[in-house]
Amino acid sequence: MGAGFAVTGGREGWTRTLLTAIGVGLGVALLLLTTAIPGALGARDDRGRARDEHAGRAAEAGANTLLIGMADTAYKGEDIRGRILRAEGPDAPIPPGLRKLPGPGEMVVSPALAELLGSDRGRLLKERFPYRTVGRIGDHGLIGPDELVYYVGSDALAADSMSTLRITGFGNSIPAEKLDARLLLLVLVMFVVLLMPVAVLIATAVRFGGERRDRRLAALRLVGADSRTTRWIAAGEALAGSLFGLLFGLGFFLIGRQPTDVAAAFDLSIFPSDLDPSVPLAVLVALAVPAAAVAVTLFALRSVAIEPLGVVRTSTPIRRRVWWRLLLPLAGVALLFPMIRRGADRGEFNELQVVAGTVLLLVGVTALLPWLVEAVVFRLGAGRVPWQLAVRRLQLGSGLAARSVNGIAVAVAGAIALQMLFLGVDQDYVKETGQDTERAQMSMSSDVRAGSDKVAEITRAIRESKGVRSAFGYASTRIGDRAADPGGSTSLTIGNCDALRELARIDRCADGDTFIIEARASPFGEMQVAPGQQVIVDPSYGPNSERSARTPWRIPAAAAAVPGRADPSGRSYDGVLATPSAVPEAATKRLTLSMDIQIDPAAPDARDLVRNAAARVDPLSSVYDLSSTEESRRFANVRTALFIGTAVVLALIGASLLVTMLEQLRERRKLLSVLVAFGTRRSTLSWSILYQSAIPVVLGLMLAVATGVGLGAALLGMVGRPFTVDWSGMAAMTGIGAGVVLLVTALSLPPLWRLMRPDGLRTE
């Protein structure tokens, strides 16, 4: 009978069921999305490992070997994955996503890169790729639809380059490294924080139309139904609404997973097909939501006396008790307290205990907020007419107002706790690189394995690039005590005086000078050299290396010892520093180049022009921006997931609040019509609605701040970090929560004005 009421009763019944289905459906959609995220990230990881080229290395060329050169680059802050390929035999492996290997001068690109190259935004990038595009990379060769990837065929790729690998196949079977205890704690708390508001909103949605439903149940009592029967009829009605909500949620999920703009905005590219919910988890959602709808309905009716002549709830309600509401957060603290400092030495946490304790603390917000709102509004005094209308409405029934704000309060409390935890552990995942961004802003390395003429060509091309203030280049090779398999070796770095001063503290320098960097402790056992010592430049290593005679060179007896210094990119040099004329030309045939580059910050596209110049002279050159700090990739991924989840949850909360507000206005339209018929101004009613929203919001955010700081303190104690509060983050999250409610209230004003008509009193 209750299920029948959900789908009958004319427009009134369908409207009530539709609003419930939309509210539940929004929550179900986010639950399905959450169950799909682990699988989506796993699919991304699997495709990334399937194209890994480091696992199938080979020592010698054969019929099944492929030379692959690393040619990664970047454009306007976006990373581009690039590989240069040369088959050494007819059975050379083909990268995933390609049907065949591209020929010399041919390029296969990802759809996103093809779109970028075809747009005005990619104009500069076109200059970097003087190749003919012959195809697209398939989805199984990309980790996401927005990934920028290219493969280029070449017949001139050298096997002896440090940027080149020889492989017999693609793939990596090494299991991924597990999350450490602190990152695991972040992930666990993040999932709880993101899912708790969803559960609260679903519980709120199944109670839409509660007052009208209770009046219908009173009519059933009049015709003979007992109290127990009416409660189960109400449960059946909620069950039917939740089942429609499951269908709506599936529809919302299928529609919402198509656009990937939200994920792409946070540098997380996901194929829609990857968002495939886990079957066991999806079944759990399908069973849990209807069960929760029935449980919430029966729980809501526990204090409502539905009699044949009416609903007793319309009289003054009994004041809420606080003692049992305090038990929930206290139980959460009791679960979390034993794990204080458990993660200080990267120990292991009891995952179930962490989840249970966090859930109980956040559930405590939902339990305490109705009591807090009721306790405060009963003490509010008189004021202007809008204030009196709002306060009196809350005094007569504050439960619905508190339930509407519960989702915001839980989300803000969880976000504050997470921000405190992120602030406490970020020093573990953000480290100093030692790079000096004042001396240089970019660095380049080129394993040209060529002579000084090629080095000069590359250096000149970079220095002449638009937007480059200066560039200091150093050409390097190795020197050893003998020509083949030396017992010790060190570096020989060649550059002009200005460049060498970036590597050592040199007072006097002229072309022809040589310097020896003062000896320091080295974990690699570098060979110690002295003035006048006989060495071999570019010796051979290993049984398979070329054993031709190398260039002998005697270090000049006038070589001065100088203290070394780190270059702008943070590298410390050792061995011998020499100006070009101090080294015989025969010793400069196989050099590698490093260059530190100063950029004019006012020059547009200077960094991309540098990368274009480097790609023209050496496609395998590595050009990267210098930064004083470096962040753990996993830590950054967790934070990105939090940002995406927070954006989706806030959007869901806003949509659900709007549905809740419309339901409240629908239930009160006759009351509004009476007030308008008595001459109440529209502005008075509008301000009244605003006050009705603002009072619970302010109280909910105050409770959220207190709970969030408490939970954050417990989490910081678990990882052994001192108590710190991110005040700016707290203010931002509180402001966002309040802004969502104010936006929803503003959007509800047009329907409110339509309901403010005296003809709303008409009935049939």
Side-chain angles (χ1 to χ4, degrees), residues 443-460:
S443 183
M444 173 194 172
S445 61
S446 174
D447 182 36
V448 290
R449 308 297 289 169
S452 55
D453 293 341
K454 183 68 173 179
V455 169
E457 177 190 353
I458 297 175
T459 304
R460 184 169 54 252

Side-chain angles (χ1 to χ4, degrees), residues 436-480:
D436 189 345
T437 56
E438 296 294 329
R439 295 164 62 192
Q441 293 77 48
M442 298 185 74
S443 183
M444 173 194 172
S445 61
S446 174
D447 182 36
V448 290
R449 308 297 289 169
S452 55
D453 293 341
K454 183 68 173 179
V455 169
E457 177 190 353
I458 297 175
T459 304
R460 184 169 54 252
I462 299 299
R463 285 177 176 166
E464 294 175 355
S465 180
K466 185 178 179 181
V468 173
R469 284 181 171 176
S470 63
F472 300 98
Y474 336 107
S476 302
T477 185
R478 301 295 293 180
I479 54 177

